[in-house]
Amino acid sequence: MKTKTDKTMSFPNGNCAVMRHADDRRGGITDTSIQVLQRVAKDLREQIGEKEVRIFHSPLRRAMWTAQNLAKFLRQESNTAIIAGPLEWLYCGEEAIARHIDEFEEPEDFVVLISHQPDLEHFLCVRSGVTNCSLFARDFRIKGH
C-alpha cells in the first residue's frame, strides 16, 4: 500500500528514504518479513524506476539482514542495489537521523537508510505506525507489516 507522506518531514530530496528493519528471529529474519520485503522491493521499483539503490543500515544484525534481503529483491526487480555499509549513527539516538540525513542532499541514485522504531518515529514525527519493513520517502510511503 503506497500513500503520500507528510510534507513537513525533513527529507533533503526525493531520492532518500528511511526504513524500519524486518522482524528477526534467531539467525535471520522471519519468513513473513521476507515476503514483505519482496513486495516492498517491487513497490519501490515502481516508485523510483531504474535508479541504483544504495542501502545503509544500522550496525545491528536485524538491520543488516534487512539490507541484504532488500538488496537481493531489488536486484530481482532489475534495480542495481548495493549495500553501502553500516552507519553507526543509524542506531545512536532519536535525533541522529535528523542530524545526518542532509549528508544525502543530492544523491544521483536512491538512498535507503535502515534504522529502528524509536529513531524513525522521532524523525517522522509520529507516535506509531512505523511497522517492520515500512519505508518512508518524501513523496511516498510503502507499508510494511
Side-chain angles (χ1 to χ4, degrees):
M1 171 187 204
K2 299 176 285 277
T3 59
K4 291 288 183 187
T5 57
D6 182 352
K7 296 289 186 185
T8 64
M9 290 182 281
S10 55
F11 286 98
N13 62 63
N15 286 336
C16 191
V18 294
M19 180 180 197
R20 183 176 177 199
H21 63 78
D23 284 333
D24 64 322
R25 62 169 185 239
R26 189 176 207 157
I29 60 176
T30 65
D31 292 339
T32 300
S33 284
I34 289 170
Q35 293 171 354
V36 171
L37 284 169
Q38 286 177 309
R39 179 185 46 78
V40 168
K42 184 176 187 238
D43 290 350
L44 181 58
R45 184 188 179 311
E46 290 174 9
Q47 290 290 330
I48 67 169
E50 295 298 319
K51 288 181 184 174
E52 179 176 276
V53 179
R54 284 187 302 142
I55 303 169
F56 295 91
H57 57 83
S58 93
L60 296 185
R61 283 185 292 184
R62 63 182 172 259
M64 178 190 68
W65 293 328
T66 303
Q68 290 169 341
N69 281 278
L70 180 63
K72 176 177 78 173
F73 297 133
L74 283 168
R75 289 181 198 118
Q76 291 173 359
E77 293 294 327
S78 301
N79 281 72
T80 302
I82 59 167
I83 299 173
L87 293 174
E88 191 69 35
W89 57 263
L90 283 171
Y91 188 68
C92 68
E94 293 179 342
E95 296 181 16
I97 295 172
R99 278 194 315 267
H100 291 277
I101 198 162
D102 286 338
E103 295 171 16
F104 302 98
E105 188 171 346
E106 295 185 34
E108 294 177 15
D109 45 14
F110 194 86
V111 173
V112 176
L113 305 172
I114 299 174
S115 190
H116 305 275
Q117 184 174 8
D119 299 349
L120 291 172
E121 287 179 352
H122 184 270
F123 174 71
L124 297 168
C125 301
V126 297
R127 293 187 183 177
S128 62
V130 182
T131 58
N132 291 87
C133 302
S134 292
L135 185 140
F136 300 83
R138 185 186 67 193
D139 300 322
F140 62 92
R141 172 185 176 197
I142 301 173
K143 188 177 183 315
H145 287 268

